[in-house]
Amino acid sequence: MDSQEKTGLRHAQDVSEFLACLRALKEASGLTLRQLEELAAAAGDYLPRSTLSSMLSGRRLPRPELLAAFVRACGHERRLTDWLRLRDQLAERDARADAVGSAAADSVVAGSVVADSASVDPAAAPVDAPSRRAARRFLRTRLLVPLAVAVLLAAAAAVVGTRDEPGGGKPHPGAAAATDATGRAADDAGAGAASAAADVPRGAVRLRPLSAPRLCLTDGLVRDRRYDSQVAVQRPCTRTRPQTTELRAEPGSGRYRIQWHHPEFGTGCLKVLGTGAGKDLLEPWDACDRAELFRLVPVRGRNTYALRTETGRCVGIARPATVEGTEAVAQRCTTARNQMFRIESASD
């Protein structure tokens, strides 16, 4: 019996059935997530356990390169072309369905506008009055939105010099001192690093952004699902288990790696992604020696730091900075609260 018969691939008609076939392929392989990751690495592919788990439990088609790495790791490379072909067919079918749905919606609205332009006695059809008003609002919106966008863009350009962080926010009192800490002091590997090292708790810690102090940096999925892997997001500190976070000092460098421990996914260290759909997000990498090194720069109050990368950027919470599930990203360093993290022992 070939892989298509075992997994039901020949009968997959939509995304959910295709994903069910992927799960069946994983079960047929008899391999764990860790074993699949190791087999993929041996073949030169990148298949983190966290990404694989998200793919198998998700609702979207996997990226072609992720699908290829998974199929090869499962030992069914000879059927890889079939998997990729069906994946592309389903993706194209979904795209056509979206296009048809959009066209149908436009037709309905356009019909409402045409009907509204006719001479109709409002008293003869009172039930239709809300529809006609909605159509008029739609027509006005279609005409005014481009102008409004242009005005907003001009306003944004005029005030961009006064904004202090890419995700919004205003400078806190004492911004001059914080700017010095996130700027010149961040390049000083001496006293600043020694001070940070003395205050950093050992063992499991919580990283609380000052912009949302009841939330902690932990694992989660990108809200718009543009990237399939687990990344760093902010969630309620009471719901970060079973994952734990540690700051592991790199000997002699004055820098730290942010290390996650998870009973299923194992150990991973955060890496700032430089390209692709996940650009600027922080993803846990099993190869900690290839992950990011962060300088902890004291910025405001005891145990409060900016997390500065080796390229001179800072970890910040994207917009909206106070909402659960918002991702952490690498940003231009500012004095905003969304780039300040209180580091405390998770045992407190």
Side-chain angles (χ1 to χ4, degrees):
M1 183 180 295
D2 66 23
S3 62
Q4 287 184 305
E5 292 171 346
K6 289 179 181 178
T7 63
L9 181 63
R10 290 183 178 138
H11 308 293
Q13 298 297 315
D14 56 28
V15 174
S16 63
E17 292 178 355
F18 184 82
L19 294 173
C21 291
L22 288 178
R23 291 189 288 271
L25 180 59
K26 190 263 183 188
E27 291 303 315
S29 74
L31 299 169
T32 65
L33 296 180
R34 180 184 293 275
Q35 289 171 328
L36 288 169
E37 180 183 41
E38 292 171 349
L39 286 170
D45 290 325
Y46 181 59
L47 190 65
R49 277 163 284 166
S50 58
T51 302
L52 182 53
S53 176
S54 299
M55 179 188 78
L56 294 174
S57 61
R59 298 180 180 179
R60 299 176 59 211
L61 288 169
R63 301 189 305 272
E65 64 274 16
L66 178 61
L67 173 62
F70 172 68
V71 172
R72 282 193 289 264
C74 288
H76 292 286
E77 187 169 4
R78 61 193 179 90
R79 295 295 188 185
L80 178 57
T81 301
D82 296 328
W83 284 95
L84 291 173
R85 182 187 299 116
L86 181 54
R87 185 254 176 224
D88 290 345
Q89 289 172 353
L90 293 174
E92 184 177 351
R93 185 183 304 172
D94 282 356
R96 286 199 302 267
D98 289 344
V100 170
S102 298
D106 288 345
S107 297
V108 170
V109 174
S112 299
V113 173
V114 171
D116 187 55
S117 65
S119 176
V120 179
D121 182 2
V127 176
D128 291 337
S131 298
R132 290 197 300 274
R133 287 197 296 272
R136 284 195 292 269
R137 285 196 299 271
F138 171 79
L139 185 59
R140 288 196 298 271
T141 301
R142 290 289 294 268
L143 294 174
L144 294 176
V145 162
L147 178 59
V149 170
V151 171
L152 288 173
L153 288 175
V159 302
V160 69
T162 65
R163 303 287 292 188
D164 64 275
E165 57 111 353
K170 297 180 180 179
H172 60 77
T179 300
D180 185 61
T182 56
R184 291 189 297 273
D187 297 322
D188 180 1
S195 174
D199 293 336
V200 173
R202 296 183 181 275
V205 299
R206 287 186 288 261
L207 303 179
R208 295 180 182 265
L210 292 196
S211 53
R214 294 186 178 181
L215 305 180
C216 286
L217 208 62
T218 187
D219 60 331
L221 294 175
V222 181
R223 290 166 297 167
D224 62 11
R225 299 303 176 95
R226 69 183 184 276
Y227 193 67
D228 296 326
S229 180
Q230 295 274 340
V231 297
V233 304
Q234 60 179 11
R235 292 197 283 117
C237 297
T238 56
R239 301 213 307 266
T240 59
R241 297 287 181 179
Q243 180 192 273
T244 58
T245 299
E246 290 187 27
L247 294 174
R248 305 302 298 269
E250 184 72 6
S253 71
R255 294 178 174 86
Y256 293 79
R257 299 191 195 276
I258 301 176
Q259 190 173 84
W260 284 353
H261 302 275
H262 194 285
E264 180 182 355
F265 303 143
T267 297
C269 295
L270 293 187
K271 169 73 174 178
V272 176
L273 300 178
T275 59
K279 187 176 186 298
D280 295 333
L281 295 171
L282 280 70
E283 181 181 36
W285 281 29
D286 288 343
C288 280
D289 60 327
R290 296 170 53 199
E292 209 75 30
L293 281 170
F294 298 94
R295 186 184 301 282
L296 305 185
V297 184
V299 289
R300 183 183 182 185
R302 188 171 183 272
N303 292 336
T304 303
Y305 304 89
L307 308 178
R308 193 178 178 95
T309 71
E310 293 183 279
T311 59
R313 294 192 296 168
C314 291
V315 176
I317 304 299
R319 289 183 178 181
T322 60
V323 173
E324 176 184 346
T326 302
E327 304 85 5
V329 294
Q331 302 175 330
R332 175 182 60 86
C333 292
T334 71
T335 61
R337 293 170 64 86
N338 75 316
Q339 289 185 5
M340 298 180 185
F341 293 84
R342 180 174 177 79
I343 302 175
E344 62 186 24
S345 173
S347 61
D348 291 346

